[in-house]
Amino acid sequence: MPIPSRHRGFLHPIPSEITPRAVYEERRALLRLMAAGAAGATLAAWAGREALAQAQQRPGRLAALPGAASAVAGAVTMEKHTSYQDASTYNNFYEFGTDKADPARNAHTLKPDPWSVEVEGLVKKPGKYAIEDLLRLSAQEERIYRLRCVEGWSMVIPWVGYSLAELIRRVEPLGSAKYVEFVTLADKARMPGVGSRVLDWPYVEGLRLDEALHPLALLAFGMYGEVLPNQNGAPVRLVVPWKYGFKSAKSIVKIRFTEKEPLTAWHKAAPREYGFYSNVNPQVDHPRWSQATERRIGEDGLFAKKRKTLMFNGYEAQVGQLYAGMDLRKFF
Ligand SMILES: Nc1nc2c(c(=O)[nH]1)N[C@H]1C(S)=C(S)[C@@H](COP(=O)(O)O)O[C@H]1N2
Ligand SMILES: [Mo]
């Protein structure tokens, strides 16, 4: 089990060592129900509760942000949505702590308004966009994407936003621009995790320009028909559904066009473990664990089976061409 040499003192835990909160909560609830009555009635009640939870899609907690059903190929999976409760309380947002419950607990200090995003580097039209203007730059769409975390869990979330390509076209990249770098907020005063040495702040992510221009790469402002909760990356984040979750940078403040491949936060922290590309790939294991299967959050009860992880997280038909001829073991 190779430990990366330049590591700053934190490793993603090995997924098999995590007992997710949902597993023991569901197990406890099931045992309680079984103790209370007949097994058949119990299971029916259980199924009913599940169906009810599915139907409650609009959480009604934050400002509404509707999006028209997206017409982009592959943008709407028919799979069951992860509950808003799970999607907003089981998060990675290390600026607010490394525990999955930390972001929901701590991110109330983030102030998503006022906010602006600076566009700079190799573009004809650099500039600073106020979040209101960015929101109105293109029509909001609903995209129902799978998001697969490098740690081995996945969710299905109805996001609201528009293709990142819409913004990129407006700012007119120069011919020399080959990559796009995303810099996210690092505010020590409001983000308790930024005081730690877990990562070299600010959190930085990057895409090759052609990846960033792919219609599935989403600039997201909302989820479940409302603006993003702070812990999910308010007020604006990326969602790149064919890549491991950490490529989907939260709370973006800067978008920079570069000629050289950006040095991303996770690659800097552990270069042997996290490459620049980080495409979901069941055939290329993480040095410390397999990437062949995943646990769908909300399905991790007593009888739930692990799911097989799909090439490019199931988006191969749409994005496979971007990587034609590349050795995906080398460019992991
Ligand atoms: N700024 C920032 N963005 C981030 C992270 C982070 O720690 N900081 N974590 C990433 C990881 S590892 C995942 S899996 C996704 C999770 O997004 P979600 O909480 O909305 O599901 O956010 C990504 N974006
Ligand atoms: Mo992740």
Side-chain angles (χ1 to χ4, degrees), residues 87 90-95 147 149 153 155 157 159 184 203 231-232 237 245-246 248-250:
Y90 190 87
N91 307 97
N92 277 338
F93 197 166
Y94 280 14
E95 289 85 336
L147 188 67
C149 180
W153 47 267
M155 299 195 195
I157 296 182
W159 301 102
T184 75
Y203 193 96
Q231 60 269 33
N232 291 80
R237 62 171 293 167
F246 65 93
S248 294
K250 291 175 166 173

Side-chain angles (χ1 to χ4, degrees), residues 17-126:
E17 288 175 357
I18 310 166
T19 304
R21 181 182 45 77
V23 172
Y24 57 73
E25 278 185 358
E26 189 178 336
R27 197 178 293 150
R28 231 177 14 206
L30 190 56
L31 289 173
R32 225 182 302 124
L33 283 167
M34 283 167 114
T42 297
L43 287 172
W46 191 256
R49 238 191 58 168
E50 280 290 294
L52 193 69
Q54 247 290 81
Q56 294 167 343
Q57 276 173 26
R58 275 293 276 280
R61 302 210 187 149
L62 298 166
L65 183 66
S70 179
V72 171
V76 179
T77 171
M78 299 311 281
E79 288 171 280
K80 181 182 163 196
H81 301 181
T82 300
S83 71
Y84 183 82
Q85 174 65 19
D86 282 341
S88 60
T89 58
Y90 190 87
N91 307 97
N92 277 338
F93 197 166
Y94 280 14
E95 289 85 336
F96 292 104
T98 55
D99 193 90
K100 298 284 179 278
D102 283 343
R105 208 162 27 214
N106 299 330
H108 58 91
T109 54
L110 178 77
K111 260 193 155 26
D113 184 26
W115 193 277
S116 58
V117 177
E118 185 124 39
V119 178
E120 59 175 50
L122 305 173
V123 288
K124 270 197 204 120
K125 296 180 175 165

Side-chain angles (χ1 to χ4, degrees), residues 93-97 184-203:
F93 197 166
Y94 280 14
E95 289 85 336
F96 292 104
T184 75
L185 185 69
D187 181 350
K188 247 188 190 160
R190 296 187 181 276
M191 299 171 132
V194 172
S196 83
R197 285 171 50 79
V198 172
L199 291 169
D200 207 359
W201 311 105
Y203 193 96

Side-chain angles (χ1 to χ4, degrees), residues 65-302:
L65 183 66
S70 179
V72 171
V76 179
T77 171
M78 299 311 281
E79 288 171 280
K80 181 182 163 196
H81 301 181
T82 300
S83 71
Y84 183 82
Q85 174 65 19
D86 282 341
S88 60
T89 58
Y90 190 87
N91 307 97
N92 277 338
F93 197 166
Y94 280 14
E95 289 85 336
F96 292 104
T98 55
D99 193 90
K100 298 284 179 278
D102 283 343
R105 208 162 27 214
N106 299 330
H108 58 91
T109 54
L110 178 77
K111 260 193 155 26
D113 184 26
W115 193 277
S116 58
V117 177
E118 185 124 39
V119 178
E120 59 175 50
L122 305 173
V123 288
K124 270 197 204 120
K125 296 180 175 165
K128 199 166 187 171
Y129 284 83
I131 190 69
E132 312 81 89
D133 299 332
L134 206 55
L135 260 159
R136 282 192 290 262
L137 190 104
S138 189
Q140 297 288 341
E141 294 183 4
E142 185 171 70
R143 307 272 183 98
I144 306 170
Y145 283 170
R146 290 178 291 279
L147 188 67
R148 165 61 157 85
C149 180
V150 73
E151 294 166 82
W153 47 267
S154 61
M155 299 195 195
V156 175
I157 296 182
W159 301 102
V160 184
Y162 52 76
S163 292
L164 175 62
E166 300 287 341
L167 172 62
I168 296 179
R169 288 197 190 100
R170 306 271 167 131
V171 300
E172 300 182 35
L174 303 176
S176 51
K178 297 283 180 304
Y179 295 92
V180 193
E181 181 178 272
F182 303 88
V183 182
T184 75
L185 185 69
D187 181 350
K188 247 188 190 160
R190 296 187 181 276
M191 299 171 132
V194 172
S196 83
R197 285 171 50 79
V198 172
L199 291 169
D200 207 359
W201 311 105
Y203 193 96
V204 169
E205 258 312 330
L207 296 169
R208 221 170 51 192
L209 184 59
D210 60 338
E211 297 179 314
L213 284 168
H214 192 283
L216 283 176
L218 184 70
L219 197 60
F221 301 85
M223 63 185 218
Y224 300 81
E226 299 183 353
V227 296
L228 289 169
N230 289 353
Q231 60 269 33
N232 291 80
V236 60
R237 62 171 293 167
L238 280 182
V239 189
V240 190
W242 68 95
K243 292 177 179 278
Y244 290 120
F246 65 93
K247 299 297 288 184
S248 294
K250 291 175 166 173
S251 305
I252 295 169
V253 292
K254 202 170 277 186
I255 301 179
R256 186 183 292 140
F257 291 75
T258 65
E259 186 156 16
K260 281 203 339 210
E261 190 182 280
L263 186 52
T264 62
W266 277 104
H267 183 71
K268 213 168 166 183
R272 291 201 63 262
E273 302 199 6
Y274 309 106
F276 175 78
Y277 285 92
S278 297
N279 290 315
V280 174
N281 188 338
Q283 286 148 33
V284 177
D285 290 340
H286 184 279
R288 292 183 288 132
W289 60 78
S290 162
Q291 292 291 28
T293 62
E294 67 199 53
R295 191 164 59 69
R296 178 66 51 86
I297 297 296
E299 283 183 353
D300 28 26
L302 275 179

